[in-house]
Amino acid sequence: LVQAIEYSKNQQQEQQQQQQPLNMVVVFTLKIVAYRFKPSLRDDMEKARLVLSHAGAGTIMEALALQKKLVVVVNTMLMNNHQIEVAEALSSRKYCMVLMDPKELQQQPQRILSFQPRRYPGGNSKSFPALLCRHLGFGDNSNNNNNNDQQGEEKETCN
């Protein structure tokens, strides 16, 4: 895949413990830089032409918000795998490519190269909190801030 894509650098997070470079290796013309932890991968993603990631919702949404070509590899070992649901929902809309096995990276480089994602339109930052409020039974109280009910008690609000 690396030779087919002709990238020159691979920057990756390996484990979430410390922020320090683990190693740097040159393979062919590929410079590999690895680190254990960074509080945010945004800087790395902004510089990237291709984001290759696990299928975690936060990572996916950050890459899509940056309008990056995104290939996600689902961790099929997870129980009740929510990664599959998130990845397939976004892949069905052509926002990212989904691979179910890391071996597909080697087996399908042309598929990855030719993938052209749709531009992610973003979303309404109030949609998820409103959905969560309704799910928790608070209803949509955006126009009903701390109103009292008939017995004079404060209602739970979700703003």
PDB file of all heavy atoms in Angstrom, residues 8-9 12 17 19 24 26 31 38 46 54 56 58 78 85 94 98 101 104 106 109 117 121 123 135 148 155:
ATOM      1  N   SER A   8       5.368   9.559   1.887  1.00  0.00           N
ATOM      2  CA  SER A   8       6.732   9.602   2.388  1.00  0.00           C
ATOM      3  C   SER A   8       6.812   9.546   3.909  1.00  0.00           C
ATOM      4  O   SER A   8       7.876   9.385   4.463  1.00  0.00           O
ATOM      5  CB  SER A   8       7.420  10.880   1.905  1.00  0.00           C
ATOM      6  OG  SER A   8       6.727  12.004   2.398  1.00  0.00           O
ATOM      7  N   LYS A   9       5.669   9.686   4.611  1.00  0.00           N
ATOM      8  CA  LYS A   9       5.722   9.708   6.067  1.00  0.00           C
ATOM      9  C   LYS A   9       4.474   9.050   6.651  1.00  0.00           C
ATOM     10  O   LYS A   9       3.372   9.242   6.174  1.00  0.00           O
ATOM     11  CB  LYS A   9       5.811  11.153   6.570  1.00  0.00           C
ATOM     12  CG  LYS A   9       5.962  11.269   8.068  1.00  0.00           C
ATOM     13  CD  LYS A   9       6.119  12.730   8.474  1.00  0.00           C
ATOM     14  CE  LYS A   9       6.272  12.886   9.967  1.00  0.00           C
ATOM     15  NZ  LYS A   9       6.349  14.296  10.349  1.00  0.00           N
ATOM     16  N   GLN A  12       1.924   7.992  13.637  1.00  0.00           N
ATOM     17  CA  GLN A  12       0.919   7.152  14.269  1.00  0.00           C
ATOM     18  C   GLN A  12       0.985   7.213  15.782  1.00  0.00           C
ATOM     19  O   GLN A  12       2.037   7.409  16.365  1.00  0.00           O
ATOM     20  CB  GLN A  12       1.075   5.705  13.811  1.00  0.00           C
ATOM     21  CG  GLN A  12       2.413   5.089  14.228  1.00  0.00           C
ATOM     22  CD  GLN A  12       2.680   3.780  13.537  1.00  0.00           C
ATOM     23  OE1 GLN A  12       2.384   3.622  12.369  1.00  0.00           O
ATOM     24  NE2 GLN A  12       3.226   2.827  14.272  1.00  0.00           N
ATOM     25  N   GLN A  17      -0.444   6.463  26.651  1.00  0.00           N
ATOM     26  CA  GLN A  17       0.167   6.568  27.968  1.00  0.00           C
ATOM     27  C   GLN A  17       0.996   7.828  28.122  1.00  0.00           C
ATOM     28  O   GLN A  17       0.753   8.619  28.995  1.00  0.00           O
ATOM     29  CB  GLN A  17       1.029   5.332  28.253  1.00  0.00           C
ATOM     30  CG  GLN A  17       0.180   4.076  28.403  1.00  0.00           C
ATOM     31  CD  GLN A  17       1.039   2.845  28.532  1.00  0.00           C
ATOM     32  OE1 GLN A  17       2.255   2.904  28.496  1.00  0.00           O
ATOM     33  NE2 GLN A  17       0.407   1.701  28.659  1.00  0.00           N
ATOM     34  N   GLN A  19       3.359  11.136  26.124  1.00  0.00           N
ATOM     35  CA  GLN A  19       3.608  11.870  24.892  1.00  0.00           C
ATOM     36  C   GLN A  19       5.103  11.958  24.656  1.00  0.00           C
ATOM     37  O   GLN A  19       5.771  12.859  25.132  1.00  0.00           O
ATOM     38  CB  GLN A  19       3.012  13.270  24.943  1.00  0.00           C
ATOM     39  CG  GLN A  19       3.175  14.002  23.629  1.00  0.00           C
ATOM     40  CD  GLN A  19       2.514  15.343  23.644  1.00  0.00           C
ATOM     41  OE1 GLN A  19       1.792  15.678  24.563  1.00  0.00           O
ATOM     42  NE2 GLN A  19       2.761  16.129  22.620  1.00  0.00           N
ATOM     43  N   MET A  24      11.666   5.952  15.317  1.00  0.00           N
ATOM     44  CA  MET A  24      11.588   6.495  13.975  1.00  0.00           C
ATOM     45  C   MET A  24      12.399   5.560  13.093  1.00  0.00           C
ATOM     46  O   MET A  24      13.563   5.298  13.356  1.00  0.00           O
ATOM     47  CB  MET A  24      12.143   7.916  13.912  1.00  0.00           C
ATOM     48  CG  MET A  24      11.925   8.555  12.578  1.00  0.00           C
ATOM     49  SD  MET A  24      12.276  10.319  12.602  1.00  0.00           S
ATOM     50  CE  MET A  24      14.031  10.311  12.793  1.00  0.00           C
ATOM     51  N   VAL A  26      13.151   4.250   8.927  1.00  0.00           N
ATOM     52  CA  VAL A  26      12.967   4.531   7.499  1.00  0.00           C
ATOM     53  C   VAL A  26      12.875   3.200   6.774  1.00  0.00           C
ATOM     54  O   VAL A  26      13.770   2.368   6.857  1.00  0.00           O
ATOM     55  CB  VAL A  26      14.126   5.382   6.940  1.00  0.00           C
ATOM     56  CG1 VAL A  26      13.955   5.586   5.444  1.00  0.00           C
ATOM     57  CG2 VAL A  26      14.189   6.709   7.671  1.00  0.00           C
ATOM     58  N   LYS A  31       9.171   7.388   6.140  1.00  0.00           N
ATOM     59  CA  LYS A  31       9.626   7.762   7.476  1.00  0.00           C
ATOM     60  C   LYS A  31       8.474   7.468   8.433  1.00  0.00           C
ATOM     61  O   LYS A  31       7.365   7.955   8.250  1.00  0.00           O
ATOM     62  CB  LYS A  31       9.959   9.249   7.502  1.00  0.00           C
ATOM     63  CG  LYS A  31      10.387   9.770   8.839  1.00  0.00           C
ATOM     64  CD  LYS A  31      10.677  11.261   8.737  1.00  0.00           C
ATOM     65  CE  LYS A  31      10.962  11.875  10.070  1.00  0.00           C
ATOM     66  NZ  LYS A  31      11.166  13.332   9.963  1.00  0.00           N
ATOM     67  N   LYS A  38      -1.004  11.527  22.495  1.00  0.00           N
ATOM     68  CA  LYS A  38      -1.151  12.966  22.289  1.00  0.00           C
ATOM     69  C   LYS A  38      -2.581  13.299  22.693  1.00  0.00           C
ATOM     70  O   LYS A  38      -3.502  12.552  22.377  1.00  0.00           O
ATOM     71  CB  LYS A  38      -0.965  13.351  20.821  1.00  0.00           C
ATOM     72  CG  LYS A  38       0.456  13.456  20.367  1.00  0.00           C
ATOM     73  CD  LYS A  38       0.490  14.037  18.970  1.00  0.00           C
ATOM     74  CE  LYS A  38       1.906  14.233  18.505  1.00  0.00           C
ATOM     75  NZ  LYS A  38       1.938  14.789  17.147  1.00  0.00           N
ATOM     76  N   GLU A  46      -4.553  17.336  10.218  1.00  0.00           N
ATOM     77  CA  GLU A  46      -4.549  18.491   9.308  1.00  0.00           C
ATOM     78  C   GLU A  46      -3.454  18.377   8.257  1.00  0.00           C
ATOM     79  O   GLU A  46      -3.640  18.804   7.122  1.00  0.00           O
ATOM     80  CB  GLU A  46      -4.378  19.792  10.102  1.00  0.00           C
ATOM     81  CG  GLU A  46      -5.620  20.200  10.856  1.00  0.00           C
ATOM     82  CD  GLU A  46      -5.429  21.420  11.738  1.00  0.00           C
ATOM     83  OE1 GLU A  46      -4.264  21.805  12.015  1.00  0.00           O
ATOM     84  OE2 GLU A  46      -6.443  21.992  12.168  1.00  0.00           O
ATOM     85  N   HIS A  54      -8.676   3.380  13.390  1.00  0.00           N
ATOM     86  CA  HIS A  54      -9.682   2.457  13.895  1.00  0.00           C
ATOM     87  C   HIS A  54     -11.030   3.138  13.667  1.00  0.00           C
ATOM     88  O   HIS A  54     -11.079   4.305  13.273  1.00  0.00           O
ATOM     89  CB  HIS A  54      -9.437   2.140  15.368  1.00  0.00           C
ATOM     90  CG  HIS A  54      -9.794   3.243  16.313  1.00  0.00           C
ATOM     91  ND1 HIS A  54      -9.163   4.480  16.281  1.00  0.00           N
ATOM     92  CD2 HIS A  54     -10.705   3.313  17.290  1.00  0.00           C
ATOM     93  CE1 HIS A  54      -9.687   5.252  17.210  1.00  0.00           C
ATOM     94  NE2 HIS A  54     -10.626   4.570  17.842  1.00  0.00           N
ATOM     95  N   GLY A  56     -13.311   4.288  15.665  1.00  0.00           N
ATOM     96  CA  GLY A  56     -13.885   5.009  16.798  1.00  0.00           C
ATOM     97  C   GLY A  56     -14.621   6.253  16.328  1.00  0.00           C
ATOM     98  O   GLY A  56     -14.150   6.976  15.450  1.00  0.00           O
ATOM     99  N   GLY A  58     -15.171   9.227  17.623  1.00  0.00           N
ATOM    100  CA  GLY A  58     -14.498  10.511  17.785  1.00  0.00           C
ATOM    101  C   GLY A  58     -13.457  10.757  16.706  1.00  0.00           C
ATOM    102  O   GLY A  58     -13.389  11.844  16.122  1.00  0.00           O
ATOM    103  N   LEU A  78     -14.080  -6.474  19.222  1.00  0.00           N
ATOM    104  CA  LEU A  78     -14.879  -5.829  20.265  1.00  0.00           C
ATOM    105  C   LEU A  78     -16.225  -6.510  20.418  1.00  0.00           C
ATOM    106  O   LEU A  78     -16.876  -6.856  19.438  1.00  0.00           O
ATOM    107  CB  LEU A  78     -15.103  -4.346  19.937  1.00  0.00           C
ATOM    108  CG  LEU A  78     -13.881  -3.445  19.972  1.00  0.00           C
ATOM    109  CD1 LEU A  78     -14.262  -2.041  19.544  1.00  0.00           C
ATOM    110  CD2 LEU A  78     -13.289  -3.415  21.365  1.00  0.00           C
ATOM    111  N   GLU A  85     -21.226  -0.358  13.314  1.00  0.00           N
ATOM    112  CA  GLU A  85     -22.411   0.458  13.040  1.00  0.00           C
ATOM    113  C   GLU A  85     -22.038   1.852  12.566  1.00  0.00           C
ATOM    114  O   GLU A  85     -22.570   2.351  11.571  1.00  0.00           O
ATOM    115  CB  GLU A  85     -23.284   0.559  14.291  1.00  0.00           C
ATOM    116  CG  GLU A  85     -23.888  -0.750  14.728  1.00  0.00           C
ATOM    117  CD  GLU A  85     -24.608  -0.632  16.064  1.00  0.00           C
ATOM    118  OE1 GLU A  85     -25.115   0.455  16.363  1.00  0.00           O
ATOM    119  OE2 GLU A  85     -24.653  -1.638  16.787  1.00  0.00           O
ATOM    120  N   LYS A  94     -20.761   7.195   1.641  1.00  0.00           N
ATOM    121  CA  LYS A  94     -19.518   7.481   0.909  1.00  0.00           C
ATOM    122  C   LYS A  94     -18.641   8.544   1.555  1.00  0.00           C
ATOM    123  O   LYS A  94     -17.865   9.216   0.898  1.00  0.00           O
ATOM    124  CB  LYS A  94     -19.811   7.882  -0.548  1.00  0.00           C
ATOM    125  CG  LYS A  94     -20.703   6.931  -1.291  1.00  0.00           C
ATOM    126  CD  LYS A  94     -20.018   5.635  -1.580  1.00  0.00           C
ATOM    127  CE  LYS A  94     -20.879   4.757  -2.476  1.00  0.00           C
ATOM    128  NZ  LYS A  94     -21.052   3.440  -2.018  1.00  0.00           N
ATOM    129  N   VAL A  98     -14.455   1.619   4.532  1.00  0.00           N
ATOM    130  CA  VAL A  98     -14.362   0.703   5.664  1.00  0.00           C
ATOM    131  C   VAL A  98     -13.663  -0.580   5.233  1.00  0.00           C
ATOM    132  O   VAL A  98     -13.990  -1.151   4.196  1.00  0.00           O
ATOM    133  CB  VAL A  98     -15.765   0.351   6.214  1.00  0.00           C
ATOM    134  CG1 VAL A  98     -15.670  -0.710   7.293  1.00  0.00           C
ATOM    135  CG2 VAL A  98     -16.444   1.585   6.746  1.00  0.00           C
ATOM    136  N   ASP A 101     -10.709  -5.912   7.921  1.00  0.00           N
ATOM    137  CA  ASP A 101      -9.519  -6.654   8.333  1.00  0.00           C
ATOM    138  C   ASP A 101      -8.284  -5.857   7.888  1.00  0.00           C
ATOM    139  O   ASP A 101      -8.223  -5.396   6.745  1.00  0.00           O
ATOM    140  CB  ASP A 101      -9.530  -8.022   7.641  1.00  0.00           C
ATOM    141  CG  ASP A 101      -8.442  -8.949   8.146  1.00  0.00           C
ATOM    142  OD1 ASP A 101      -7.298  -8.492   8.353  1.00  0.00           O
ATOM    143  OD2 ASP A 101      -8.726 -10.144   8.327  1.00  0.00           O
ATOM    144  N   GLU A 104      -6.632  -6.231   4.428  1.00  0.00           N
ATOM    145  CA  GLU A 104      -7.175  -5.572   3.239  1.00  0.00           C
ATOM    146  C   GLU A 104      -6.314  -4.388   2.806  1.00  0.00           C
ATOM    147  O   GLU A 104      -6.342  -3.996   1.637  1.00  0.00           O
ATOM    148  CB  GLU A 104      -8.612  -5.112   3.476  1.00  0.00           C
ATOM    149  CG  GLU A 104      -9.601  -6.247   3.621  1.00  0.00           C
ATOM    150  CD  GLU A 104     -11.006  -5.727   3.847  1.00  0.00           C
ATOM    151  OE1 GLU A 104     -11.579  -5.135   2.903  1.00  0.00           O
ATOM    152  OE2 GLU A 104     -11.529  -5.917   4.967  1.00  0.00           O
ATOM    153  N   GLN A 106      -3.139  -4.377   2.474  1.00  0.00           N
ATOM    154  CA  GLN A 106      -2.173  -4.926   1.525  1.00  0.00           C
ATOM    155  C   GLN A 106      -2.858  -5.490   0.292  1.00  0.00           C
ATOM    156  O   GLN A 106      -2.326  -5.425  -0.799  1.00  0.00           O
ATOM    157  CB  GLN A 106      -1.349  -6.033   2.178  1.00  0.00           C
ATOM    158  CG  GLN A 106      -0.429  -5.535   3.261  1.00  0.00           C
ATOM    159  CD  GLN A 106       0.293  -6.678   3.930  1.00  0.00           C
ATOM    160  OE1 GLN A 106      -0.294  -7.704   4.235  1.00  0.00           O
ATOM    161  NE2 GLN A 106       1.587  -6.487   4.163  1.00  0.00           N
ATOM    162  N   PRO A 109      -4.790  -2.101  -2.367  1.00  0.00           N
ATOM    163  CA  PRO A 109      -4.266  -0.734  -2.437  1.00  0.00           C
ATOM    164  C   PRO A 109      -4.945   0.105  -3.519  1.00  0.00           C
ATOM    165  O   PRO A 109      -5.170   1.301  -3.332  1.00  0.00           O
ATOM    166  CB  PRO A 109      -2.778  -0.922  -2.719  1.00  0.00           C
ATOM    167  CG  PRO A 109      -2.661  -2.285  -3.309  1.00  0.00           C
ATOM    168  CD  PRO A 109      -3.752  -3.094  -2.670  1.00  0.00           C
ATOM    169  N   PRO A 117     -13.961  10.167  -1.430  1.00  0.00           N
ATOM    170  CA  PRO A 117     -15.065  10.364  -0.484  1.00  0.00           C
ATOM    171  C   PRO A 117     -15.922  11.574  -0.843  1.00  0.00           C
ATOM    172  O   PRO A 117     -15.443  12.525  -1.470  1.00  0.00           O
ATOM    173  CB  PRO A 117     -14.351  10.597   0.847  1.00  0.00           C
ATOM    174  CG  PRO A 117     -13.015  11.125   0.468  1.00  0.00           C
ATOM    175  CD  PRO A 117     -12.663  10.489  -0.846  1.00  0.00           C
ATOM    176  N   PRO A 121     -20.822  17.129   5.127  1.00  0.00           N
ATOM    177  CA  PRO A 121     -21.455  18.435   5.315  1.00  0.00           C
ATOM    178  C   PRO A 121     -21.394  18.980   6.738  1.00  0.00           C
ATOM    179  O   PRO A 121     -21.789  20.116   6.981  1.00  0.00           O
ATOM    180  CB  PRO A 121     -22.907  18.173   4.913  1.00  0.00           C
ATOM    181  CG  PRO A 121     -23.123  16.730   5.243  1.00  0.00           C
ATOM    182  CD  PRO A 121     -21.793  16.062   4.970  1.00  0.00           C
ATOM    183  N   GLY A 123     -22.461  19.006  10.801  1.00  0.00           N
ATOM    184  CA  GLY A 123     -23.731  18.794  11.477  1.00  0.00           C
ATOM    185  C   GLY A 123     -24.067  19.947  12.378  1.00  0.00           C
ATOM    186  O   GLY A 123     -23.311  20.897  12.530  1.00  0.00           O
ATOM    187  N   HIS A 135     -33.909  11.329  24.847  1.00  0.00           N
ATOM    188  CA  HIS A 135     -33.694   9.936  25.234  1.00  0.00           C
ATOM    189  C   HIS A 135     -33.729   9.768  26.753  1.00  0.00           C
ATOM    190  O   HIS A 135     -34.234   8.774  27.269  1.00  0.00           O
ATOM    191  CB  HIS A 135     -32.363   9.441  24.672  1.00  0.00           C
ATOM    192  CG  HIS A 135     -32.068   8.023  25.012  1.00  0.00           C
ATOM    193  ND1 HIS A 135     -32.728   6.969  24.429  1.00  0.00           N
ATOM    194  CD2 HIS A 135     -31.189   7.479  25.895  1.00  0.00           C
ATOM    195  CE1 HIS A 135     -32.275   5.835  24.940  1.00  0.00           C
ATOM    196  NE2 HIS A 135     -31.341   6.123  25.828  1.00  0.00           N
ATOM    197  N   ASN A 148     -41.274  26.425  36.243  1.00  0.00           N
ATOM    198  CA  ASN A 148     -41.798  25.640  37.348  1.00  0.00           C
ATOM    199  C   ASN A 148     -43.015  24.859  36.896  1.00  0.00           C
ATOM    200  O   ASN A 148     -43.800  25.321  36.082  1.00  0.00           O
ATOM    201  CB  ASN A 148     -42.196  26.567  38.508  1.00  0.00           C
ATOM    202  CG  ASN A 148     -40.988  27.237  39.119  1.00  0.00           C
ATOM    203  OD1 ASN A 148     -39.879  26.718  39.024  1.00  0.00           O
ATOM    204  ND2 ASN A 148     -41.196  28.392  39.725  1.00  0.00           N
ATOM    205  N   LYS A 155     -38.552  22.023  36.957  1.00  0.00           N
ATOM    206  CA  LYS A 155     -38.473  20.915  36.000  1.00  0.00           C
ATOM    207  C   LYS A 155     -37.019  20.704  35.608  1.00  0.00           C
ATOM    208  O   LYS A 155     -36.239  21.626  35.629  1.00  0.00           O
ATOM    209  CB  LYS A 155     -39.258  21.256  34.724  1.00  0.00           C
ATOM    210  CG  LYS A 155     -40.735  21.238  34.867  1.00  0.00           C
ATOM    211  CD  LYS A 155     -41.356  21.475  33.509  1.00  0.00           C
ATOM    212  CE  LYS A 155     -42.844  21.477  33.579  1.00  0.00           C
ATOM    213  NZ  LYS A 155     -43.456  21.725  32.273  1.00  0.00           N
TER     214      LYS A 155
END
